[in-house]
Amino acid sequence: MDEPALIPNLFRTEYSNLVAVLCNRYGLSNIQVAEDIVSDTFLMASQTWGKLGIPDNQAGWLYKVAKNRTLDYLRREKVRLEKVAPFVLARTETTTQPAELNLSKTHIEDSQLRMLFAVSHPSLEKKAQLTLALRVLCGFSADEIAAALLSSKTSVNKTLFRSKKRLQQHSATLFNLVPEDLAPRLDTVLTTVYLLFNEGYHATRTTHVLRRELCYEAMRLGLLIQGNVHTVCPEVNALLALMCFHASRLDARANDTGAPVLYYEQDRSLWEPALISKGTDFLNKAATGEQISRYHLEAAIAYWHTEQDTPEKWEEILQLYNQLLQLEYAPIAALNRTYALARCKGNQVGLEEAIKLNLETYSLYYCLLAALDQDTANQHKHLTKALSLATSAHEKAHIQKKLAAIA
C-alpha cells in the first residue's frame, strides 16, 4: 500500500488505540492532551515517511513516537505534570520519570474496552456520549460525526468541547468501572459500534461506496465486548451477527470502478460463506435472552437477505420490518419495508405504501419510487429528483445510468 493511502488507514486502526492507552495511563482529564499527542504523531509520520521511506513496522513506529512524545511532554510541562501526578503516582515511584507505556496487545484491547464504557458516562447526554465515542474511539472527523448523527459540524464541535470538559470533572472514577456500571452504558456502546459499521457500509463522506476498514474496526470492537464476561449479552451477539451478514456481501456491493451494485443485481458467488456461517452462530447465541432488540430484528432481516429468493423469504422480511418499526421507527427501515412489501404484494401495493412515507429529502426514496412505478414519465421524474438529492459521484452516476436506460 502506498504512503498516501497507508497513513489514513493506520489512523483509523491505531488512533483510538493510542488515545485509549494514554488516557488509561494518565487519566481522562488529559483526553485532549492525548488526542493532540496522537495527532502530532501521525503528522510526523506523514512528514518523515515521505522523506525517509515507510518503516517495516508502521504501527510500532507510531507507538514508539507517541510514547516518546508523551514522556517529553510530561517532563516539559511542569504545571500539567502536577495535574497528572495523582494518576502517575498510582503506578510509579516518581512523578519526574513516568513509567514506560504498556503497549502490549492485551493492554491496548483492555484500554479500548474501558474507553468504550468510560465515554458512555451517565453524566453525559446520549448524543454527547455518541459524539465523543465516534471521535475518540473511531477517529471520526466532525463532518463524519455530523452525517452519522444527522447534526451539523458546528454542533458536533461544541458537543465535543463540552463533553471533554465534563469528563475532566469525572475522570477520577471513570476507569474504576465495576460490573454494575457497565449495563446502563451498554446501549450507547452498542449504538457507537453500530454507527461505525454503518458509516463503513454506507459511506457518506467519501468517493467510495463503502469503507471496509470502518466495517472491520466495528467488528473488532464488537468482538472485544463479546469477549468480556461482564459485557457479553444477547444484544452483543445479535449486533455481531448483523455485521457478519452485511460484511459477507462487501465484495459484491461495488463493481470494479467502485460504483454501487444494488442487492438484486449482486453476484452471489462473491458473497462470503464463512461470514454468513459465523453470523448464523452469533444469531443462535443471541436467541438466549428474554427480550428482542433492534439488533435481533435487523440481524434476522440480514440473514434472510443471504438466502435464495422465495415467497417465504420476502414474507419473513416483511414481518420482521413490521416488528422493527413497531419497536423503533426509522425512515430508512420504513423505506426498506416498502420494497419487501412490493416483493410480497406487487409493485402497485408497494408504490402506494411508499408514497405515504413522503421522504422528500432522501434520494433513495425517489429511486424506489422509480423502481416501483410502471409509468415511464413518472420514472423519469422520480429519477431526476433523486439525482438532485444525490450526494456522491457514484450515486449520481448510477442514477444517470438509470435515466439513460429509460430514455
Side-chain angles (χ1 to χ4, degrees):
M1 182 181 297
D2 58 5
E3 186 260 339
L6 175 64
I7 290 182
N9 286 335
L10 279 171
F11 186 88
R12 287 297 186 189
T13 58
E14 304 301 341
Y15 175 88
S16 60
N17 292 344
L18 288 166
V19 171
V21 169
L22 291 176
C23 287
N24 194 12
R25 183 67 182 79
Y26 301 115
L28 277 172
S29 61
N30 297 287
I31 187 172
Q32 187 60 59
V33 176
E35 285 194 278
D36 290 344
I37 289 174
V38 176
S39 295
D40 286 345
T41 299
F42 277 94
L43 178 60
M44 177 178 284
S46 66
Q47 295 172 342
T48 305
W49 296 359
K51 297 178 181 178
L52 303 180
I54 300 173
D56 293 333
N57 184 357
Q58 299 95 15
W61 188 97
L62 293 170
Y63 290 160
K64 181 179 180 180
V65 171
K67 178 176 67 175
N68 291 338
R69 280 180 169 269
T70 301
L71 297 178
D72 289 344
Y73 177 86
L74 291 175
R75 295 188 187 101
R76 186 174 64 250
E77 301 291 335
K78 298 300 183 183
V79 175
R80 176 64 66 178
L81 183 60
E82 291 299 321
K83 296 182 179 180
V84 175
F87 302 101
V88 178
L89 282 172
R91 301 171 174 87
T92 67
E93 296 178 357
T94 174
T95 60
T96 58
Q97 291 293 330
E100 291 286 296
L101 290 174
N102 184 347
L103 295 174
S104 66
K105 181 175 182 293
T106 300
H107 185 72
I108 290 174
E109 291 180 350
D110 178 69
S111 297
Q112 275 218 304
L113 189 59
R114 286 173 178 271
M115 279 289 286
L116 268 171
F117 284 88
V119 298
S120 301
H121 192 274
S123 68
L124 300 175
E125 295 180 354
K126 179 69 173 289
K127 186 175 181 179
Q129 294 172 350
L130 291 172
T131 300
L132 194 60
L134 289 172
R135 172 59 191 157
V136 176
L137 284 160
C138 306
F140 272 34
S141 67
D143 285 331
E144 289 171 330
I145 297 172
L149 300 182
L150 303 179
S151 183
S152 68
K153 182 178 179 179
T154 300
S155 176
V156 166
N157 284 327
K158 289 180 179 179
T159 299
L160 285 172
F161 179 79
R162 290 193 298 265
S163 300
K164 290 173 184 177
K165 286 291 185 183
R166 182 65 63 85
L167 284 184
Q168 290 177 351
Q169 300 170 6
H170 294 273
S171 62
T173 59
L174 281 180
F175 274 101
N176 300 323
L177 297 174
V178 293
E180 299 82 62
D181 295 327
L182 303 179
R185 308 182 188 195
L186 185 61
D187 181 62
T188 298
V189 169
L190 295 185
T191 301
T192 300
V193 176
Y194 177 82
L195 290 174
L196 175 61
F197 186 89
N198 273 0
E199 178 59 26
Y201 198 68
H202 303 286
T204 58
R205 299 283 173 173
T206 177
T207 56
H208 301 289
V209 174
L210 54 90
R211 300 167 71 180
R212 294 171 184 271
E213 75 279 6
L214 298 189
C215 294
Y216 296 147
E217 178 66 7
M219 295 172 76
R220 188 186 70 80
L221 292 175
L223 288 171
L224 279 182
I225 302 168
Q226 199 262 356
N228 187 287
V229 66
H230 298 301
T231 54
V232 62
C233 65
E235 287 83 357
V236 175
N237 284 314
L239 178 56
L240 279 168
L242 169 62
M243 292 190 290
C244 284
F245 289 136
H246 282 325
S248 71
R249 296 191 284 113
L250 284 177
D251 287 343
R253 288 199 69 244
N255 61 24
D256 294 338
T257 64
V261 179
L262 299 181
Y263 171 75
Y264 55 84
E265 298 173 340
Q266 290 176 8
D267 181 354
R268 290 174 180 263
S269 68
L270 297 178
W271 294 0
E272 180 53 60
L275 278 173
I276 295 174
S277 176
K278 194 66 178 176
T280 303
D281 290 340
F282 282 126
L283 190 57
N284 289 333
K285 291 177 181 177
T288 58
E290 297 180 355
Q291 293 184 330
I292 295 180
S293 68
R294 58 181 288 196
Y295 304 117
H296 286 84
L297 295 171
E298 289 193 36
I301 292 170
Y303 160 76
W304 278 106
H305 275 87
T306 65
E307 294 291 291
Q308 295 291 332
D309 276 355
T310 63
E312 176 194 18
K313 166 183 172 175
W314 290 105
E315 185 62 39
E316 290 285 348
I317 291 176
L318 177 60
Q319 295 307 319
L320 287 166
Y321 270 123
N322 289 340
Q323 294 180 60
L324 179 62
L325 290 170
Q326 290 175 2
L327 184 66
E328 182 177 338
Y329 181 85
I332 293 298
L335 193 64
N336 290 336
R337 176 191 172 275
T338 59
Y339 179 76
L341 179 66
R343 295 300 300 265
C344 293
K345 308 294 184 181
N347 282 6
Q348 186 58 37
V349 174
L351 178 62
E352 293 171 0
E353 193 71 16
I355 291 175
K356 296 177 184 178
L357 298 178
N358 200 29
L359 301 175
E360 296 182 349
T361 60
Y362 289 85
S363 62
L364 289 177
Y365 171 65
Y366 290 99
C367 287
L368 179 62
L369 293 182
L372 298 180
D373 202 318
Q374 302 302 306
D375 185 276
T376 303
N378 287 339
Q379 290 176 353
H380 189 277
K381 180 182 68 175
H382 296 319
L383 288 173
T384 301
K385 182 64 176 179
L387 184 61
S388 70
L389 295 171
T391 57
S392 72
H394 283 306
E395 185 181 5
K396 291 178 180 179
H398 177 77
I399 295 171
Q400 287 171 336
K401 183 178 178 181
K402 294 290 185 182
L403 279 168
I406 65 172

